[in-house]
């Protein structure tokens, strides 16, 4: 369980998050949605202790993120940031392999190699495994980074706009992979999404943020209504139900 | 991780090892007084020459070359920029200023003490450089080395001014321009500490690779980023200060060797560290041998030879990599 209690965060004097409290139970896919600048990425990076907590408390499975040793947390939670650039000349297999670093401190045993191979296969990277990251397209690189986060093998997976650069096929594949690790292995996935319909199709729960606060929280059917969406994004959009799921026609 | 990097290069490794061995023997043989290596065991004078002068000189070149190449690799990792090295970004200049000041204030201080002060100054100077470099926009990779050159230039100018005032310019030249001609048994052994630093770098190699991915990736994988930064700074500063104090600074090794190895083998430090160290040792040793031969029986300091050779390599790297560096 991730527990976020009364978290506020400022960048210099600008408030980014104001008194956010949220409980995410173990298992399932939670989508964070909201307009640009709502504080979604900041919340995710605070949970992943990439930035120091200023006010409030966050713990994951009872481990406070600000005082638990980084090495211990790295076996519990993995994060993929949205603006990750890899300037190093590493091969795909090497990069994915570094996802195992928190477990063996760089020494890979048989079990590690099996996990690395599985992550490479899962994201269709087998043909690219011996290529340098810098020679890949944006989408291929994104898949390699997601595979690295998967290889870390943590119970909690935080993904900040992982669908960036991915085409429709791989975006759907990634969402289905997330769904299957949540269902099959009881993992908890928290994912920032701009494509609301992906959230509708694959998430159990949607948390909507605006102006540094949580403004709506519920199942896709509860959140994806014209009224709530207008309150979050500031304009009216049509919502249709297809295959029992709400789909938002925000392009119209 | 390491296995996949090492196995295809086993043959290259043998060739590189042989090359280094040839340079080693050449370096023992080449010098003003002829040293017939075949008679070393029967001729006590030849043995004396070998043990007191040639062997220490050769070892000094290998130790400082390997150390400076590794220092360059670490510095590039910490700055996340391929075009910085201790010789151009303020580390060497800070060490030179430090050893100059301690020589002015305590002329009788022993070499280890002076080296320690030089190391402290290098640590301070490099910390300031990195703190500034991390604030520069990452989209413009050439700003970091440019800033480094200006920054190193300012500190170097301060050292030159202080040396000029104190009439110590000749001393300064000893520290700023590497030269192995004065290396004798008993006067280079401090450089073995460089080997220890390289061993520590080997121990933290995976962490260095991850650090090159950035602060957030490092924290995400459970690395104590701030502490690793300190360890890296100490390694760079100690290696540089040792080179400055014992043989004088040698430019470009830290720049050219890690860049060439990265081009050929990538950036997985666990796999490349040995190559960077061997490459640095070989390059410095080769330049020293060239410096001994080019105006035989006179010598050209290794720093000067390296300035020419390294400059040419650096230009080649710049033109090959182009603007997308």
């Amino acid at each position: 369980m991730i527990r976020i209690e009364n978290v506020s965060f400022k960048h210099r004097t600008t408030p980014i998050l104001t008194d956010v409290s949220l409980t995410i139970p173990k298992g399932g896919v939670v989508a964070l949605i909201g307009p640009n600048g709502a504080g979604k990425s900041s919340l995710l990076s605070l949970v992943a202790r990439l930035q120091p907590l200023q006010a409030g408390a966050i713990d994951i499975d009872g481990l406070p993120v600000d005082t638990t040793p980084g090495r211990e947390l790295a076996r519990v939670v993995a994060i993929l940031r949205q603006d990750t650039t890899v300037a190093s000349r590493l091969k795909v297999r090497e990069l994915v392999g570094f996802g195992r670093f928190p477990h063996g401190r760089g020494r890979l045993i048989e079990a590690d190699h099996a996990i690395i191979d599985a992550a490479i296969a899962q994201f269709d990277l087998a043909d690219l495994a011996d290529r340098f990251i810098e020679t890949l397209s944006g989408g291929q690189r994104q898949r390699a980074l997601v595979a690295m986060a998967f290889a870390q093998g943590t119970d909690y997976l935080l993904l900040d706009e992982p669908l960036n650069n991915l085409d429709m096929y791989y975006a759907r594949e990634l969402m289905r992979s997330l769904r299957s690790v949540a269902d099959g292995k009881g993992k908890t996935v928290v994912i920032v999404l701009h494509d609301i319909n992906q959230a509708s199709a694959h998430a159990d729960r949607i948390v909507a943020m605006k102006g540094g606060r949580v403004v709506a929280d519920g199942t896709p059917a509860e959140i994806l209504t014209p009224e709530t969406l207008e309150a979050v994004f500031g304009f009216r959009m049509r919502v249709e139900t297809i295959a029992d799921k709400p789909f938002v026609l925000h392009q119209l | 991780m390491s296995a996949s990097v090492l196995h295809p290069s086993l043959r290259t490794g043998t060739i590189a090892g042989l090359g280094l061995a040839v340079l080693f023997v050449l370096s023992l043989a080449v010098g003003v007084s002829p040293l017939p290596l075949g008679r070393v065991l029967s001729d006590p004078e030849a043995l004396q020459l070998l043990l007191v002068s040639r062997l220490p000189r050769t070892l000094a070149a290998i130790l400082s070359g390997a150390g400076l190449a590794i220092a360059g690799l670490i510095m590039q990792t910490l700055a996340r920029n391929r075009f910085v090295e201790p010789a151009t970004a303020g580390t060497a200049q800070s060490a030179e200023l430090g050893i100059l000041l301690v020589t002015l204030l305590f002329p009788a201080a022993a070499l280890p003490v002076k080296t320690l002060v030089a190391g402290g100054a290098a640590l301070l100077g490099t910390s300031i450089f990195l703190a500034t470099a991390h604030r520069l926009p990452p989209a413009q990779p050439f700003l970091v080395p440019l800033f480094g050159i200006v920054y190193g230039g300012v500190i170097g100018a301060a050292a030159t001014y202080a040396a000029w005032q104190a009439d110590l310019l000749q001393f300064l030249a000893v520290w700023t321009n590497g030269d192995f001609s004065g290396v004798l048994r008993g006067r280079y052994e401090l450089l073995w500490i460089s080997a220890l630093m390289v061993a520590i770098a080997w121990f933290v190699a995976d962490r260095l690779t991850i650090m090159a991915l950035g602060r957030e990736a490092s924290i995400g994988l459970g690395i104590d980023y701030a502490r690793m930064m300190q360890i890296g700074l100490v390694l760079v500063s100690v290696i540089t200060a040792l080179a400055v104090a014992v043989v004088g600074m040698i430019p470009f090794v830290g720049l050219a060797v890690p860049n060439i190895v990265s081009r050929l083998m990538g950036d997985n430090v666990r796999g490349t560290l040995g190559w960077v160290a061997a490459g640095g040792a070989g390059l410095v040793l080769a330049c020293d041998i060239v410096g001994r031969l080019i105006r035989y029986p006179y010598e050209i300091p290794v720093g000067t030879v390296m300035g020419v050779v390294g400059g040419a390599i650096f230009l080649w790297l710049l033109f090959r990599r182009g603007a997308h560096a």
Side-chain angles (χ1 to χ4, degrees), chain A residues 7 9 15-20 32-44 82 161 192-194 207-215 231-233:
Chain A
V7 166
F9 187 73
I16 308 289
L17 295 170
T18 312
D19 200 23
V20 173
L32 280 178
I33 65 165
N36 294 335
K40 310 179 293 285
S41 297
S42 297
L43 186 62
L44 225 52
Q82 59 171 320
E161 295 185 35
V192 174
L193 284 175
H194 277 299
V207 175
M209 294 182 69
K210 187 184 183 182
R213 295 171 192 274
V214 173
V215 291
V232 176
F233 290 97

Side-chain angles (χ1 to χ4, degrees), chain A residues 35-134:
Chain A
N36 294 335
K40 310 179 293 285
S41 297
S42 297
L43 186 62
L44 225 52
S45 59
L46 285 174
V47 173
R49 47 81 173 86
L50 300 184
Q51 308 208 49
L53 266 182
Q54 293 171 351
I58 299 177
D59 61 61
I60 304 174
D61 277 353
L63 303 169
V65 296
D66 48 349
T67 53
T68 306
R71 192 179 157 180
E72 200 178 333
L73 273 177
R75 292 192 289 253
V76 178
V77 61
I79 182 163
L80 174 66
R81 295 271 291 153
Q82 59 171 320
D83 47 6
T84 307
T85 49
V86 179
S88 302
R89 280 167 50 79
L90 292 177
K91 290 175 180 167
V92 171
R93 184 180 297 279
E94 291 173 334
L95 183 80
V96 175
F98 277 112
R100 299 303 300 164
F101 184 80
H103 303 276
R105 307 303 276 173
R107 296 176 65 151
L108 300 178
I109 57 171
E110 202 111 321
D112 292 314
H113 286 294
I115 291 168
I116 294 165
D117 288 339
I120 284 173
Q122 185 160 13
F123 294 98
D124 227 352
L125 293 163
D127 293 341
L128 306 173
D130 289 318
R131 291 254 303 267
F132 281 113
I133 298 288
E134 62 179 5

Side-chain angles (χ1 to χ4, degrees), chain B:
Chain B
M1 262 166 268
S2 53
S4 65
V5 174
L6 286 179
H7 72 79
S9 46
L10 218 64
R11 209 182 48 160
T12 344
T14 317
I15 296 172
L18 281 176
L20 207 54
V22 168
L23 285 173
F24 186 87
V25 173
L26 262 181
S27 171
L28 293 181
V30 171
V32 179
S33 36
L35 178 61
L37 288 174
R39 288 219 311 272
V40 162
L41 291 179
S42 54
D43 180 352
E45 237 173 83
L47 185 66
Q48 184 75 353
L49 178 64
L50 182 74
L51 292 182
V52 173
S53 168
R54 295 288 167 75
L55 186 63
R57 177 176 193 155
T58 304
L59 289 174
I62 288 174
L63 289 170
S64 53
L68 287 172
I70 295 298
L73 174 74
I74 297 172
M75 192 131 170
Q76 285 146 26
T77 301
L78 301 186
R80 294 191 75 195
N81 188 297
R82 291 191 193 285
F83 296 111
V84 296
E85 66 142 335
T88 54
T91 309
Q93 290 80 1
S94 303
E96 286 152 18
L97 184 60
I99 197 168
L100 177 71
L101 292 180
V102 73
T103 306
L104 274 176
L105 299 174
F106 306 98
L111 188 61
V113 177
K114 290 181 178 174
T115 309
L116 202 64
V117 175
L123 197 61
L124 183 68
T126 315
S127 305
I128 295 172
F129 165 73
L130 282 177
T132 316
H134 282 172
R135 282 164 212 272
L136 296 173
Q140 306 208 13
F142 287 111
L143 270 183
V144 173
L146 271 180
F147 165 70
I149 289 167
V150 173
Y151 175 74
V154 170
I155 299 175
T160 306
Y161 179 75
W164 181 69
Q165 287 284 317
D167 216 1
L168 281 176
L169 273 178
Q170 277 178 326
F171 262 93
L172 191 64
V174 169
W175 298 312
T176 52
N177 195 6
D179 185 0
F180 294 114
S181 61
V183 171
L184 294 171
R185 188 169 65 193
R187 290 198 46 199
Y188 83 102
E189 283 77 1
L190 270 181
L191 281 175
W192 282 104
I193 298 174
S194 279
L196 180 69
M197 299 295 122
V198 173
I200 295 175
W202 165 258
F203 186 70
V204 297
D206 288 320
R207 268 164 270 200
L208 288 171
T209 310
I210 292 172
M211 279 185 82
L213 299 175
R215 177 184 165 273
E216 296 187 335
S218 307
I219 296 176
L221 290 173
I223 286 173
D224 189 337
Y225 189 75
R227 208 183 71 193
M228 272 308 298
M229 193 64 117
Q230 290 160 358
I231 292 175
L233 273 169
V234 168
L235 293 178
V236 169
S237 302
V238 169
I239 290 173
T240 308
L242 284 166
V244 164
V246 179
V247 295
M249 192 58 194
I250 307 165
F252 288 115
V253 196
L255 193 62
V257 176
N259 270 288
I260 291 171
V261 172
S262 164
R263 278 279 99 192
L264 298 175
M265 325 184 53
D267 289 328
N268 191 348
V269 180
R270 178 72 66 203
T272 62
L273 190 123
W275 291 94
V276 173
L283 183 61
V284 169
L285 200 51
C287 283
D288 186 44
I289 294 170
V290 168
R292 277 182 254 173
L293 289 174
I294 217 162
R295 285 179 61 210
Y296 190 85
Y298 303 103
E299 290 202 11
I300 297 175
V302 68
T304 310
V305 179
M306 187 63 82
V308 177
V309 175
I313 297 175
F314 185 49
L315 279 177
W316 172 73
L317 283 172
L318 274 185
F319 283 117
R320 255 198 73 162
R321 286 185 62 83
H324 64 272

